[in-house]
Amino acid sequence: MTLPMPRPVFDANASSGGFGNLPEWDLRDLYPAPESKEFAADMDWLETACADFAAAYEGKLAGLDAAAMLACVLAYEQIDIVAGRLMSFAGLRYYQNTMDSDRAKFIADVQDKITTFTTPLVFFSLGFNRLEDAQLDALIAANADLARYKPVFDRMRAMRPHQLSDELEKFLHDESVVGASAWNKLFDETMAGLMFAVEGEEEELNLEATLNLLTDPVRAKREAAARALATVFDKHIKLFARVHNTLAKEKEIHDRWRKMPSPQHGRHLSNHVEPEVVEALRNAVVAAYPKLSHRYYRLKAKWMGLERLQVWDRNAPLALEAPRVVGWDEATKTVLDAYGAFAPEMAEIAKPFFEKGWIDAGVKPGKAPGAFAHPTVSTVHPYVMLNYLGKPRDVMTLAHELGHGVHQVLAAGQGELLSSTPLTLAETASVFGEMLTFRKLLDQAKTKAERKTLLAGKVEDMINTVVRQIAFYDFECKLHAARAEGELTPDDINALWMSVQAESLGDVFDYMDGYETFWAYIPHFVHSPFYVYAYAFGDGLVNALYAAYADGLPEFEAKYFEMLKAGGSKHHKELLAPFGLDASDPKFWDKGLSMIAGFIDELEAMED
């Protein structure tokens, strides 16, 4: 089971005072406590169930009739649920305080046990993929309940050309806890432990608190934060380079053995998206850099009275009105009202998150940075993590993560194996929820300055989500290609980073010494290679969807809920067809990018 990735913006950290009563997770819906009898019983059940499953089905899949195959799939699904529940509990506790050695030991031990218990299950996908197409088609035709799982089978069988022998697959499964997983933990624990001496601050700050200063209204504070980040990253740059070198090399070895045609191919397979669709997205965004980020940042420089921008100005707030702290109650009402205005059902699904301990919002020592929504398993409910600091941007983050939560609740009806949504579609409800909230705030804007601030904030978020993530994707492509040729020095990686930053941000920026190391703190590169394009995919898809909604597409709300309820049971072509959209059409991406360009047009038109 995969633990979640944080949202890719500066969702910051410092102190949780002054925002009202911030909610904390109640993880008892998963298990009462780490030492509870329920947790121990499920762990014992999992060990027995995995061994029994292997004894019942290993080497026998080809001889099963449709009813027996359905029983096999249902047994596998139940194992998936229990393993996911155990790992979710351990993972969420760990994210609440990554510096707690007891929690770190607990998650490591749980992961070790689950890996050991589930190693006998490796045969299942391998044996299933050896079934002849005609035999599988006959089984599916004979049993409607089994036919429900065809999307799962299709995704499994997409790996047929890339699977190894049973023995090698079991070895890789066993070895994973001391491979990528171990390097991931080293990265997480190192990042959580970094402290930054920021000039002007009384105490050293952690990573999130320091990143938060990059959005401070005072330019000197932003510069001090940027320089403190650069100083600390440089001190640890050899470690971060070693993490990236090792993970990229491990991936190259696995990809070579699996005969993957490119480093990105495995991600495309898991996302159930064609490489040419991703390439069309990437090319459309890169071609749009001049009319999006380049143009916007030149405009921002003008607003700030500067001829040149420094990297610490990229996320600077506009000085059009005094910074405002948004209390938690106001943030809650804003998001729920926006959801309810679109569809009352959406607000009703979202309410339990606030009322039942499904959100952890406060900033606490050792807590994981950023924000995420984790679906846990289809028989429980999702949990949302924030680092809430009362900024207007934090309200958007709440709307975003709550959208994930609503999506995960709706998709859970598909069951464990069918509820999981590919990354490319997983951002749909989150970005749509964010857009609903933004539009509501924009409609309520009382002054030109307020409207301008909201528009500029939205453009910056969209640039962070689209332009910045595609630049990240290009950086990863370059990194993995270069690592295939040999070991990379920190300077090598720094140069790759700067090549994409200059291209994506435009010619109005100057880059301070030390900015070349800022690749080091991006967790996506470590945890999930090539994950990042999913954000751009989701933003472009939602912009096209929202345009259809704004144009009054008949029964849009009903179609939208059906799309979310589908989870991972349908391909993106099938999901988008009711809206008259097709992501494989290169022109599709221009629609979404045009929305961003339109917001910049409006900002330019506001100039006196």
Side-chain angles (χ1 to χ4, degrees), residues 13-22 24 361-365 387-390:
N13 209 335
S15 160
S16 49
F19 311 128
N21 189 20
L22 296 178
E24 294 187 354
V363 176
K364 291 165 272 192
N387 279 282
Y388 190 81
L389 285 167

Side-chain angles (χ1 to χ4, degrees), residues 193-210:
L194 293 183
M195 299 301 290
F196 301 83
V198 180
E199 186 178 340
E201 296 295 317
E202 293 182 6
E203 299 179 351
E204 288 191 334
L205 304 177
N206 66 9
L207 175 63
E208 282 292 294
T210 310

Side-chain angles (χ1 to χ4, degrees), residues 379-391:
T379 54
V380 187
H381 58 75
Y383 283 91
V384 164
M385 193 198 82
L386 307 169
N387 279 282
Y388 190 81
L389 285 167
K391 294 190 173 187

Side-chain angles (χ1 to χ4, degrees), residues 9-36:
V9 294
F10 292 130
D11 301 325
N13 209 335
S15 160
S16 49
F19 311 128
N21 189 20
L22 296 178
E24 294 187 354
W25 279 336
D26 181 351
L27 299 180
R28 288 176 297 178
D29 287 347
L30 290 166
Y31 294 101
E35 64 281 357
S36 66

